[in-house]
Amino acid sequence: MEIPVNVKMRVYKFGNKAADGNSKMKNLLGGKGANLAEMSAIGIPVPPGFTITTEVCTEYNLLGKDAIVEMIKEEVETSIFNIENLMGTSFGDKENPLLVSVRSGARVSMPGMMDTVLNLGLNDEVVLGLAKKTNNELFAWDSYRRFIQMYGGVVLGMKPESKEDIDPFEEIMEHLKEKRGIKLDTEFTVQDLKDLVYDFKDAVKKRTGHDFPTNPWDQLWGAVIAVFNSWKGDRAVYYRKMHGYPADWGTAVNVQAMVYGNMGNNSGTGVCFTRDAGTGEDVFNGEYLINAQGEDVVAGTRTPQQITKLGSMRWAELAKVDEEDRLKNYPSLEELMPKIYSELNGYQEKLEIHYKDMQDMEFTIQDGKLWILQTRNGKRTGAAMVKIAMDMFKQGLITEKEALLRIEPSKLDELLHPVFDPKALSNAKVIAQGLPASPGAATGQIVFFADEANKYKYTILARIETSPEDLEGMNIARGILTARGGMTSHAAVVARGMGKCCISGAGALKINYKTRTLKVDDKVYHEGDWISLNGSTGNIIEGKVATSEPELSGEFAELMKLSDKYATMQVRTNADTPNDAKIARSFGAQGIGLTRTEHMFFEVDRIKAMREMILSDTVIGRKHALEILLPMQRADFEGIFEAMQGLPVTVRLLDPPLHEFVPHQLETQRSLAEDMHITLEAVKIKVAELEEFNPMLGHRGCRLGITYPEITEMQTRAVIEAALNLKERGITAKPEIMVPLIGTLTEFESQKAVIEETANKVFEERNDSIAYSIGTMIEIPRAALIANKIAEHADFFSFGTNDLTQMAFGYSRDDASKFLPIYLEKGILKVDPFEVLDQEGIGQLVEMATERGRSVKPNLKVGICGEHGGDPSSVEFCYRTGLNYVSCSPYRVPIARLASAQAAIKATL
């Protein structure tokens, strides 16, 4: 008896209201493939096709081309046959040809990061059959020209040879346009297109040494493999690193029957959004081109027209185009093709309701028939993300919990950056106007090449148009400015995904890469000149514009209020100054989890006394210097306690090694010697004595307070006196004194005794008292192991995960940059453990210390105050572990508040 074998399916078909897959299969089919299957199943007109799974990409990376082609050949051939049946055409046929598109499709949207080939299946014979079948010779040869250009770039590697050069195919086209005295691609004649095809193939032969492939099946396999290879391309790798996507996900490949937007004035192509991806406004919007193919819209080589009449009128106002000119030369799709627009509008409404999220759709109109090529949850700015989630909740499309889970915590960071000061804007000189492609405020020095975006500290990347190769530079630059392209161009879509300020389609700009200049009318701006971009209005401004701090208001404030409804774990802040404390409190911080007292000593008027204390050889000398520091430190604490009145403030005693405070330059050492009336040699000797082989494991933390208890005495006195001074003014302070870097119980007991003795002295002197608590940082692995013993004497624990990570991994934070990038590249580590908490290892120490501490003191307060306190995945871990609070920098407080709410919601699902 033959045992049936369970054969794994590697190719999934879709089309004609049927599909093998669905929208829940994004990990296997990629986002694009899963949504194509879903749309087909719910009756949206989708060109038929098939998806090669992400697992095949992984297998390809292990086994290579030949093995993969052999593995999926039969399934692919069957799937092509299915498309042929549904379309009534034949792949490679000279009289009734089927042409296909080949596109990438990872499980998450990565716009422009991987490769696409259109019109695949054309050759010198098939193009004649296509021309005859459609009775449109111009369309057939234009499609052939496009195919060679795309296939040459994607599969055959025909890229510009240097950054100053343009695309080799574009260069050939520009020469022909110049020769013919024309400006637009649409002005080419049939003979022009035939000449281009000949010249393109000649360029391929000269560059690669091989003829352009003519067999459609060879073309197909070349394109499939090129898409798989693009997963490991530089721009895709950089994009994954930027967003933290794992390298082992792989990409799917989508092969679809071609539909043509370049068949004449009754055809076109476009991109649309069910809501505004920049602002979140609930308005259907997008762009289209007549007689064009999809890549024309996003490439930015032609500036497209608006889909809706409202959008067209808004565009005309920005572009200073009068109504008569707009209607004649730039009509909306709604006005030009009302029936097509009505059908498209119905599909966008249906898809948004179906997916319950803002959709980014691509469509083609072929000779009066509408086809939907793709839909996906649209990339959006942080502001749009918040508005869309809150609006959909108010509209009843999603629940409160769904609204909160819809928000990507890290993208809230975009809403917390400074904005242009209104007064400064009123005096600003606007030099040109573009399209407000991605909101925000950006000021920087002009650079013209993406690989030079880090040439200055703050840069504006100015390009004629951007391409996917510019990704890294776009990420580095403060803002992006393009002379061409619309609201759905590559620059606009990628910038919105990054939350980066962007102005596109600024037609008044004349950018010259050779001379590195930007010309507006008669004014020339050179590389290094300062300009500012207002991404909310599209204004390009000369020079620098002052900024002001952002505020929690509108939908953002509503979101935070909703977060607090579900969050059970508190969010505190790390703040060392009253100003930091005020900012954090305005962002909703519920106290301070870490005040680093050492930062207060680096100010000019204090560092001298600090150095005198360190260099003194006697207790009396050290106490004298500390008496000078006491009122300064006390005043600092008063300011911080007042800013946080009524909320707890955790003050960490002095932590860093003393050598960080002493002068290392000869002139500064000489000046200190004169002030202290000692010899320069004595200063040099003391500085040398403080040098350590491994200062992070040396004389720091509680070891300083044990060696020099007078330091702990002064700091305790400053804390207690500050709290009492505020009490006299009717202000409640809640100080928590934290002993750093303990590894033994006796270290903690020693410092606790000094703190209590000093506090009692102050209470006696003032004949008054306040409530305070004493706890410790758990940042040495040994402290985590004996947490039950420490908890018997400590009021609270706070995990210093920066040092805990350093000591448990054995990685020096100061030196890890030499090898961590290689570890990440080789997959030895998936993430930087100093940025994202290592839940498997360091997490065990946190869980163990929390559990052991609470085994002897059930109500022990436990928090985290390392940099991980603002990382959403680490916040979720802290919630699961039962911590009372996380603490992070002021500008990450809203992020942590949302992450805390999301963690609580996920625990109930």
Side-chain angles (χ1 to χ4, degrees):
M1 176 180 171
E2 190 174 317
I3 300 173
V5 179
N6 182 19
V7 179
K8 181 164 74 170
M9 198 169 167
R10 290 181 170 85
V11 179
Y12 286 68
K13 298 184 291 294
F14 58 84
N16 196 30
K17 299 183 180 180
D20 295 332
N22 57 59
S23 62
K24 295 178 181 177
M25 300 172 71
K26 288 184 179 179
N27 291 359
L28 183 66
L29 303 180
K32 188 174 295 182
N35 285 332
L36 285 169
E38 185 81 6
M39 284 196 294
S40 187
I42 65 172
I44 302 290
V46 173
F50 59 90
T51 301
I52 303 171
T53 69
T54 57
E55 291 178 350
V56 179
C57 181
T58 305
E59 290 171 328
Y60 164 73
N61 290 328
L62 291 172
L63 304 173
K65 176 182 175 180
D66 293 343
I68 286 303
V69 171
E70 187 61 35
M71 186 184 293
I72 64 173
K73 186 177 181 182
E74 187 177 334
E75 284 185 89
V76 168
E77 288 175 349
T78 302
S79 299
I80 286 285
F81 181 67
N82 182 62
I83 300 175
E84 290 174 331
N85 283 340
L86 292 175
M87 297 298 288
T89 53
S90 182
F91 191 52
D93 190 89
K94 298 171 188 174
E95 296 181 0
N96 185 27
L98 166 68
L99 303 188
V100 297
S101 64
V102 180
R103 290 181 170 95
S104 64
R107 66 174 70 179
V108 291
S109 176
M110 296 172 62
M113 294 308 106
M114 290 177 293
D115 291 325
T116 295
V117 177
L118 303 180
N119 308 319
L120 188 144
L122 280 168
N123 57 32
D124 291 350
E125 295 173 319
V126 171
V127 71
L128 299 176
L130 183 65
K132 185 178 180 182
K133 178 188 174 184
T134 59
N135 195 29
N136 192 334
E137 205 176 7
L138 189 74
F139 150 71
W141 283 96
D142 182 51
S143 298
Y144 195 14
R145 181 272 300 177
R146 291 168 181 273
F147 169 55
I148 297 172
Q149 186 171 355
M150 295 187 81
Y151 197 92
V154 169
V155 183
L156 305 179
M158 296 280 290
K159 305 288 186 185
E161 292 186 351
S162 74
K163 66 186 180 185
E164 283 87 5
D165 294 325
I166 63 172
D167 177 273
F169 298 112
E170 289 287 341
E171 189 172 12
I172 293 169
M173 290 170 67
E174 290 301 319
H175 283 317
L176 182 57
K177 285 178 185 175
E178 196 174 325
K179 180 181 174 183
R180 291 262 292 103
I182 59 176
K183 291 185 177 181
L184 300 176
D185 297 358
T186 50
E187 295 178 272
F188 285 131
T189 65
V190 171
Q191 188 57 51
D192 290 336
L193 294 168
K194 288 180 178 180
D195 291 343
L196 284 175
V197 166
Y198 177 84
D199 290 341
F200 281 6
K201 289 197 291 184
D202 186 54
V204 168
K205 180 70 179 278
K206 285 177 180 175
R207 177 80 82 89
T208 68
H210 300 284
D211 289 323
F212 189 86
T214 58
N215 184 303
W217 283 102
D218 291 341
Q219 295 171 357
L220 179 60
W221 290 117
V224 168
I225 297 304
V227 170
F228 283 151
N229 285 334
S230 69
W231 177 252
K232 289 195 170 182
D234 291 343
R235 63 182 190 262
V237 169
Y238 185 81
Y239 191 90
R240 288 201 304 273
K241 285 181 179 176
M242 196 167 75
H243 292 277
Y245 301 149
D248 58 8
W249 276 0
T251 181
V253 180
N254 298 289
V255 179
Q256 255 181 305
M258 278 298 303
V259 287
Y260 309 99
N262 58 328
M263 288 185 72
N265 290 334
N266 200 26
S267 300
T269 187
V271 176
C272 58
F273 299 87
T274 59
R275 301 188 186 221
D276 192 307
T279 66
E281 183 185 4
D282 186 7
V283 57
F284 179 43
N285 66 100
E287 296 174 327
Y288 77 103
L289 285 169
I290 290 296
N291 196 19
Q293 288 196 324
E295 291 302 302
D296 296 339
V297 180
V298 295
T301 49
R302 287 170 63 186
T303 298
Q305 293 161 225
Q306 297 295 310
I307 286 176
T308 67
K309 182 180 178 181
L310 174 64
S312 183
M313 294 177 76
R314 287 180 175 181
W315 168 85
E317 186 178 347
L318 287 172
K320 296 180 171 56
V321 172
D322 64 46
E323 179 60 11
E324 184 180 347
D325 187 16
R326 182 197 72 79
L327 201 54
K328 180 182 177 183
N329 297 308
Y330 311 102
S332 66
L333 184 68
E334 185 177 0
E335 294 162 304
L336 189 67
M337 297 181 174
K339 286 185 179 178
I340 291 290
Y341 170 79
S342 178
E343 190 181 352
L344 177 64
N345 190 39
Y347 290 142
Q348 68 92 7
E349 289 176 354
K350 180 176 181 176
L351 287 169
E352 180 173 278
I353 291 169
H354 181 79
Y355 285 102
K356 296 184 177 181
D357 202 352
M358 185 268 279
Q359 294 300 292
D360 167 1
M361 301 160 56
E362 294 177 17
F363 64 90
T364 286
I365 305 159
Q366 176 179 297
D367 199 23
K369 177 173 173 54
L370 177 65
W371 295 90
I372 307 299
L373 306 184
Q374 170 175 292
T375 193
R376 59 190 173 194
N377 292 341
K379 294 285 183 185
R380 64 206 73 180
T381 63
M385 173 185 68
V386 171
K387 179 168 177 56
I388 289 169
M390 294 307 295
D391 281 354
M392 285 189 163
F393 158 59
K394 293 170 188 174
Q395 291 162 358
L397 283 171
I398 57 177
T399 65
E400 277 185 345
K401 291 182 179 180
E402 286 172 328
L404 286 169
L405 293 175
R406 185 69 58 82
I407 305 296
E408 188 180 333
S410 295
K411 277 191 76 68
L412 291 181
D413 187 50
E414 296 169 27
L415 281 72
L416 301 170
H417 291 304
V419 295
F420 283 142
D421 184 86
K423 289 182 181 177
L425 272 181
S426 64
N427 299 318
K429 179 184 177 183
V430 177
I431 58 173
Q433 174 78 48
L435 298 174
S438 184
T443 294
Q445 292 172 271
I446 301 170
V447 294
F448 294 97
F449 299 103
D451 63 353
E452 297 179 6
N454 57 2
K455 193 168 188 176
Y456 308 105
K457 186 175 180 183
Y458 305 111
T459 57
I460 300 294
L461 178 62
R463 300 285 291 166
I464 296 171
E465 70 230 4
T466 64
S467 75
E469 280 74 21
D470 296 330
L471 177 69
E472 185 170 0
M474 293 172 73
N475 188 36
I476 293 168
R478 284 300 177 102
I480 300 151
L481 173 63
T482 68
R484 295 181 190 162
M487 297 288 281
T488 56
S489 65
H490 172 268
V493 172
V494 172
R496 286 195 292 268
M498 291 178 173
K500 189 82 63 174
C501 175
C502 176
I503 294 175
S504 63
L509 306 182
K510 307 300 177 192
I511 293 174
N512 188 319
Y513 292 146
K514 298 281 187 186
T515 60
R516 300 184 178 223
T517 56
L518 183 160
K519 187 177 181 183
V520 183
D521 298 326
D522 296 326
K523 182 71 182 282
V524 177
Y525 296 88
H526 298 85
E527 181 180 85
D529 288 347
W530 286 85
I531 59 171
S532 299
L533 307 181
N534 187 336
S536 302
T537 63
N539 285 340
I540 304 158
I541 301 164
E542 186 174 274
K544 301 179 185 179
V545 178
T547 58
S548 57
E549 293 298 328
E551 296 178 350
L552 286 186
S553 58
E555 285 89 359
F556 193 7
E558 291 174 17
L559 176 74
M560 289 294 99
K561 187 176 180 182
L562 197 58
S563 296
D564 292 342
K565 177 178 177 180
Y566 289 95
T568 55
M569 181 175 65
Q570 292 189 333
V571 175
R572 297 192 191 183
T573 190
N574 301 338
D576 306 330
T577 67
N579 186 54
D580 284 349
K582 287 173 186 172
I583 291 171
R585 186 156 191 169
S586 73
F587 287 153
Q590 295 162 296
I592 292 179
L594 177 65
T595 292
R596 292 163 284 230
T597 55
E598 61 271 7
H599 289 184
M600 303 169 179
F601 296 131
F602 283 105
E603 294 180 21
V604 176
D605 60 336
R606 306 170 187 206
I607 192 69
K608 179 184 168 187
M610 188 66 181
R611 286 169 173 170
E612 288 182 9
M613 186 276 294
I614 293 168
L615 294 179
S616 176
D617 289 325
T618 66
V619 173
I620 293 173
R622 285 193 292 274
K623 284 190 173 182
H624 173 73
L626 289 167
E627 284 172 5
I628 298 172
L629 289 170
L630 173 62
M632 300 176 187
Q633 183 113 100
R634 183 173 57 227
D636 289 330
F637 291 143
E638 283 188 35
I640 290 172
F641 291 158
E642 185 169 2
M644 279 289 166
Q645 55 183 289
L647 297 175
V649 175
T650 303
V651 177
R652 182 180 71 185
L653 298 177
L654 192 64
D655 181 52
L658 295 180
H659 81 86
E660 290 189 9
F661 297 97
V662 295
H664 296 277
Q665 290 79 30
L666 184 62
E667 280 306 309
T668 318
Q669 289 178 346
R670 184 177 284 115
S671 175
L672 184 61
E674 290 172 1
D675 289 339
M676 291 188 67
H677 306 293
I678 58 176
T679 65
L680 174 61
E681 192 61 30
V683 172
K684 286 182 175 180
I685 290 169
K686 189 68 176 179
V687 169
E689 285 176 0
L690 291 171
E691 287 292 332
E692 296 179 291
F693 289 110
N694 193 339
M696 287 296 99
L697 297 177
H699 194 189
R700 57 171 287 224
C702 67
R703 300 155 201 168
L704 290 173
I706 291 168
T707 311
Y708 306 120
E710 51 273 16
I711 296 176
T712 302
E713 288 172 11
M714 184 278 286
Q715 292 200 291
T716 301
R717 179 173 283 275
V719 168
I720 301 299
E721 288 182 351
L724 286 170
N725 289 348
L726 290 181
K727 183 180 178 182
E728 289 176 357
R729 293 165 48 200
I731 296 170
T732 301
K734 295 184 175 181
E736 301 174 343
I737 300 175
M738 183 161 67
V739 181
L741 213 73
I742 68 159
T744 68
L745 173 59
T746 48
E747 284 176 318
F748 178 72
E749 288 179 319
S750 171
Q751 286 290 278
K752 182 181 180 182
V754 174
I755 294 166
E756 289 180 333
E757 184 181 346
T758 305
N760 289 333
K761 276 185 187 176
V762 176
F763 293 157
E764 288 177 19
E765 293 165 5
R766 299 284 291 266
N767 195 29
D768 199 357
S769 66
I770 50 101
Y772 71 99
S773 56
I774 306 171
T776 186
M777 288 186 86
I778 304 293
E779 48 192 336
I780 292 177
R782 191 178 189 278
L785 296 172
I786 62 166
N788 53 323
K789 293 183 179 179
I790 297 170
E792 291 179 1
H793 303 270
D795 297 320
F796 64 88
F797 286 171
S798 180
F799 290 100
T801 49
N802 300 342
D803 269 311
L804 194 59
T805 298
Q806 178 172 238
M807 295 191 192
F809 268 97
Y811 297 164
S812 163
R813 268 185 297 169
D814 297 328
D815 302 305
S817 60
K818 294 174 183 174
F819 60 86
L820 268 184
I822 298 166
Y823 270 40
L824 296 171
E825 186 181 320
K826 292 189 173 183
I828 291 169
L829 289 175
K830 289 196 173 182
V831 292
D832 183 337
F834 292 108
E835 293 179 3
V836 179
L837 185 68
D838 164 45
Q839 297 180 23
E840 182 183 28
I842 309 304
Q844 275 197 60
L845 292 172
V846 173
E847 289 170 333
M848 179 194 306
T850 303
E851 186 181 327
R852 292 186 178 182
R854 286 177 174 163
S855 69
V856 297
K857 189 173 285 183
N859 294 324
L860 181 72
K861 184 158 58 178
V862 183
I864 182 175
C865 64
E867 289 302 315
H868 301 101
D871 168 63
S873 65
S874 304
V875 171
E876 187 175 343
F877 167 80
C878 292
Y879 172 83
R880 292 198 310 267
T881 306
L883 270 59
N884 298 92
Y885 68 86
V886 295
S887 188
C888 56
S889 62
Y891 287 97
R892 292 194 73 82
V893 166
I895 295 170
R897 287 170 67 190
L898 174 65
S900 178
Q902 289 181 336
I905 292 168
K906 287 175 185 177
T908 66
L909 299 178

